[in-house]
Amino acid sequence: MSVRRLAPKEQQPESFAFSEENLAWARKQIAQYPEGRQASAAIAILWRAQEQHDGWISEAAIRTVADMLDMPYIRMLEIATFYTMFQLQPVGRKAHIQVCGTTPCRLRGAEDILAVCKSRIHHEPFHLSKDGDFSWEEVECLGSCVNAPMVLIWKDTYEDLTKENFGKVLDGFASGQPPKPGPQIDRQFSAPVGGLTTLNTAAKGDGGRRSAAQPALTDADAKKPTDSASRRESPMPKPPADDATRKGKT
Ligand code: FES
């Protein structure tokens, strides 16, 4: 991991203030914790500050959040500089690309994706492209190994990448029309390439009820672009109709 320092003084804004909406949201977060434990909201509020401030967190924002939580500045600086999810210097206006460089992605072609970043954005990570629209960095596993290689851009993952389709992803962000997140090949979620090869017929004896009750997910069920990653991608499973517990029969 590289040394993480705050952006130089000349890039730091004088001050930071939450928008009204974000301030109300932050106060709600703080109120969730018992008296004396407000510092527990630090990461959530720092993250919101980063989202409001063009994808990076300034020294002024760090101090503002520390004041809100009544924490010493050094504690908030420790948090912001420790967690690599916090960007400490300006990132691309249109996209900051986080390229997974861990083993499964490496074995499946992450090197090609990094090469595209180096040639199209900047040969060094954490540097802005000439027009200031893009930046990139290499990160550790982002949990989409089954769709390797992949990148994270803002809140969305772009998966099953090749040099060619990753180039199109960048073109989409450059033109203000990002492509649909998820697999960039003909593949649904992490299902086998080319369609289901197992469990593709109703089980014997269930009269097809299973497939009727739990229809296959479609693209419409996927997380919408820019939704937070914690949103469920499928409806909550329902208990069987004759579940005695659910009917209070126990
Ligand atoms: S190794 Fe790349 S997402 Fe896990």
Side-chain angles (χ1 to χ4, degrees), residues 55-137:
W56 71 285
I57 193 142
S58 64
E59 185 176 348
I62 292 169
R63 289 178 188 274
T64 301
V65 178
D67 286 340
M68 286 172 75
L69 297 173
D70 203 15
M71 287 170 69
Y73 294 145
I74 186 64
R75 296 288 315 283
M76 198 59 72
L77 280 160
E78 284 168 359
I79 294 171
T81 54
F82 179 79
Y83 291 104
T84 54
M85 63 202 257
F86 295 118
Q87 302 295 333
L88 301 177
Q89 45 209 310
V91 295
R93 274 189 300 258
K94 292 186 173 169
H96 176 65
I97 323 282
Q98 296 184 295
V99 185
C100 174
T102 304
T103 312
C105 280
R106 284 274 172 188
L107 292 173
R108 298 268 303 161
E111 206 65 53
D112 285 346
I113 308 307
L114 288 165
V116 173
C117 288
K118 288 176 188 172
S119 68
R120 283 191 55 167
I121 300 174
H122 196 284
H123 61 278
E124 291 284 345
F126 299 109
H127 283 71
L128 296 177
S129 55
K130 278 195 183 121
D131 56 10
D133 284 347
F134 290 89
S135 54
W136 70 276
E137 68 175 301

Side-chain angles (χ1 to χ4, degrees), residues 91-248:
V91 295
R93 274 189 300 258
K94 292 186 173 169
H96 176 65
I97 323 282
Q98 296 184 295
V99 185
C100 174
T102 304
T103 312
C105 280
R106 284 274 172 188
L107 292 173
R108 298 268 303 161
E111 206 65 53
D112 285 346
I113 308 307
L114 288 165
V116 173
C117 288
K118 288 176 188 172
S119 68
R120 283 191 55 167
I121 300 174
H122 196 284
H123 61 278
E124 291 284 345
F126 299 109
H127 283 71
L128 296 177
S129 55
K130 278 195 183 121
D131 56 10
D133 284 347
F134 290 89
S135 54
W136 70 276
E137 68 175 301
E138 182 179 332
V139 295
E140 300 298 326
C141 179
L142 289 166
S144 297
C145 327
V146 72
N147 293 79
M150 57 78 69
V151 301
L152 178 70
I153 303 178
W154 307 134
K155 289 177 180 171
D156 296 314
T157 56
Y158 294 85
E159 304 156 0
D160 294 306
L161 295 174
T162 61
K163 254 185 188 173
E164 292 70 31
N165 64 25
F166 178 54
K168 287 184 188 156
V169 170
L170 293 185
D171 293 342
F173 276 92
S175 65
Q177 290 182 319
K180 189 167 80 63
Q184 300 300 303
I185 58 173
D186 186 17
R187 180 183 192 185
Q188 191 188 29
F189 305 125
S190 53
V193 177
L196 289 181
T197 56
T198 56
L199 299 176
N200 51 4
T201 53
K204 258 189 188 164
D206 72 359
R209 275 183 290 120
R210 179 182 300 168
S211 54
Q214 296 180 328
L217 295 178
T218 67
D219 280 353
D221 299 308
K223 180 178 92 63
K224 302 288 176 284
T226 76
D227 269 355
S228 68
S230 57
R231 195 181 83 75
R232 285 187 67 86
E233 293 194 351
S234 59
M236 284 291 282
K238 294 189 183 119
D242 55 355
D243 184 328
T245 315
R246 192 169 63 94
K247 290 180 179 170

